[in-house]
Amino acid sequence: MATWPTTLPSPEKDGYQITPMAQTIRTEMETGMPRVRRRSAARMDQVTVAWKFTDAQMQIFRTWFNSATDAAGGASWFTIDLAVGETGVEPVEARFSGEWTADMLAGINWRVSAKLEVR
């Protein structure tokens, strides 16, 4: 499994957000109360993260993200240190959930935002 490059920084605290993914499924009935049942016991969270990269770090990130042996364009799971509300910052398995975005900052620096699925 790929790992987050050690040459890249950890996510910023500003905007860091954990959203638990639904573990239940809801079926509306023709009459009466809807039926709600557990879909899975496996816990999945969606974590919104952002990083500040220099231009050189942005190049490393783009290469790592597109590499077939690393993030594979966002399709592959990788290990990254994140806080998920359990025991502080710890290594977790994550993958990108959709596309990342990058905003250019002063001095050719970048703020990259993404949503990660964490298992």
Side-chain angles (χ1 to χ4, degrees), residues 7 16 18 20 23 40-41 49 52 60 63-64 75-78 80 82 86 91 103 113 119:
T7 54
Y16 191 97
I18 299 173
Q23 290 182 309
S40 172
V49 293
K52 280 189 183 171
I60 293 167
T63 301
W64 174 85
S76 291
W77 291 95
F78 60 95
I80 184 171
L82 294 176
E86 292 179 355
D103 297 315
S113 302
R119 62 177 176 187

Side-chain angles (χ1 to χ4, degrees), residues 54-104:
T54 63
D55 203 41
Q57 288 172 326
M58 182 66 167
Q59 182 180 8
I60 293 167
F61 171 75
R62 291 183 69 116
T63 301
W64 174 85
F65 182 83
N66 290 315
S67 170
T69 59
D70 292 318
S76 291
W77 291 95
F78 60 95
T79 303
I80 184 171
D81 291 341
L82 294 176
V84 292
E86 292 179 355
T87 58
V89 177
E90 62 184 4
V92 296
E93 293 179 2
R95 71 176 167 195
F96 286 83
S97 174
E99 299 299 319
W100 54 269
T101 60
D103 297 315
M104 188 176 216

Side-chain angles (χ1 to χ4, degrees), residues 104-115:
M104 188 176 216
L105 305 172
I108 311 182
N109 291 301
W110 301 92
R111 184 171 196 275
V112 175
S113 302
K115 290 187 179 188

